[in-house]
Amino acid sequence: MSAAKDAVLRVEGLRVFYGDAEALKGVSLTLEAGEIVTVLGANGAGKSTLLRAISGLLAPREGAVRLGEEDLAGVPANRIVRRGISHAPEGRRVFATLTVEENLTMGAFARLSDRRAVERERGRIQELFPVLRERRRQLAGTLSGGEQQMLAIGRALMSSPRILLLDEPSLGLAPILVQHIFEIIRQIGAGGVAILLVEQNARQALSLARRGYVLENGRISLEGPSAALRDDPRVQEAYLGGSGLRGA
């Protein structure tokens, strides 16, 4: 498949443990340049664990995470950011006692020596999220949930990543804000950034993504084009029939 041939990111046979409990059981997936791919799954399926392993926050016991031809095994998380992978985690995790502007600057830690590049990126992010310009001197902890989510994504983009990992960007947001966040994610993808999206809103995620994977009990149970997954009775029953997804 072209997804494997042209992939910028390959996850191969990933196994991750928490103590003796195996959270990921040989997970493999690919992501092409400029592609949006979603990972669906129920609470506890291993979705957040997958993103944390890709970004270097968790060390897999087996398997590989390849950025192009480079195996990222053993590469620290801060260096993975420098390689071009950025992670906006579940729960936003903004620095509550820092201003919006300071949070964005923290996202550019890998390139602070190039002030012009940092300012250009900050300007682009403030165009994408105008509220971040308006609130730039406000403490991040005083922002609304939607504003904090925009800040978390903006902070992740400050490193000019080739790949953006998004973990539950719509969680806890009002429906009108969910629509706004997804439109922004669409714009980011259209700008050439490859996005791996973990999302509890399966319907929105499949409408946005080109392809998807279903993760169940630490294993990939289904994969394919988003349209095919939307039409699959198993996906409809588990994720599109009103029960939805809850958490990661």
Side-chain angles (χ1 to χ4, degrees), residues 1-237:
M1 293 176 60
S2 63
K5 179 181 177 183
D6 302 326
V8 292
L9 179 70
R10 293 180 180 85
V11 175
E12 301 171 348
L14 210 61
R15 298 181 68 200
V16 176
F17 288 75
Y18 294 107
D20 293 330
E22 189 172 9
L24 295 180
K25 305 170 183 177
V27 170
S28 299
L29 57 78
T30 60
L31 181 66
E32 291 184 33
E35 184 183 38
I36 300 177
V37 170
T38 190
V39 179
L40 308 177
N43 183 38
K47 306 186 304 296
S48 292
T49 297
L50 172 63
L51 295 194
R52 289 170 61 83
I54 293 170
S55 64
L57 296 174
L58 289 174
R61 187 173 297 182
E62 292 182 15
V65 176
R66 300 189 189 279
L67 181 62
E69 298 304 318
E70 180 184 10
D71 187 354
L72 298 179
V75 177
N78 65 317
R79 293 187 182 177
I80 288 178
V81 173
R82 295 175 190 271
R83 301 289 203 281
I85 299 178
S86 197
H87 184 181
E90 180 186 4
R92 296 138 199 172
R93 310 280 181 91
V94 298
F95 300 104
T97 59
L98 299 182
T99 67
V100 166
E101 191 164 309
E102 289 168 337
N103 268 267
L104 291 177
T105 300
M106 292 290 286
F109 74 91
R111 54 201 305 235
L112 288 177
S113 60
D114 190 344
R115 292 186 179 181
R116 289 184 179 179
V118 171
E119 287 307 312
R120 283 196 303 270
E121 199 60 47
R122 193 196 314 274
R124 282 194 287 268
I125 288 165
Q126 289 174 341
E127 288 178 8
L128 197 60
F129 302 103
V131 70
L132 298 184
R133 178 181 286 113
E134 298 168 13
R135 305 276 196 270
R136 63 186 180 278
R137 303 194 189 285
Q138 189 170 325
L139 294 181
T142 66
L143 299 176
S144 70
E147 289 166 348
Q148 288 189 12
Q149 186 61 70
M150 295 176 199
L151 179 56
I153 296 173
R155 183 182 61 191
L157 291 172
M158 282 294 292
S159 62
S160 292
R162 289 187 285 161
I163 296 170
L164 178 62
L165 310 177
L166 292 177
D167 196 349
E168 305 285 13
S170 80
L171 191 64
L173 301 185
I176 191 169
L177 283 175
V178 171
Q179 294 289 342
H180 183 55
I181 289 291
F182 270 88
E183 178 53 36
I184 289 170
I185 294 171
R186 189 186 307 276
Q187 292 177 35
I188 294 168
V193 178
I195 298 173
L196 188 60
L197 171 67
V198 161
E199 175 51 48
Q200 51 91 24
N201 189 325
R203 195 175 303 278
Q204 287 276 11
L206 290 172
S207 295
L208 180 67
R210 176 188 171 199
R211 295 186 295 116
Y213 296 86
V214 177
L215 190 60
E216 295 183 342
N217 299 316
R219 292 187 173 92
I220 300 294
S221 61
L222 292 169
E223 62 179 281
S226 291
L229 291 178
R230 279 198 305 270
D231 293 339
D232 191 295
R234 293 165 292 182
V235 174
Q236 291 179 356
E237 181 179 359

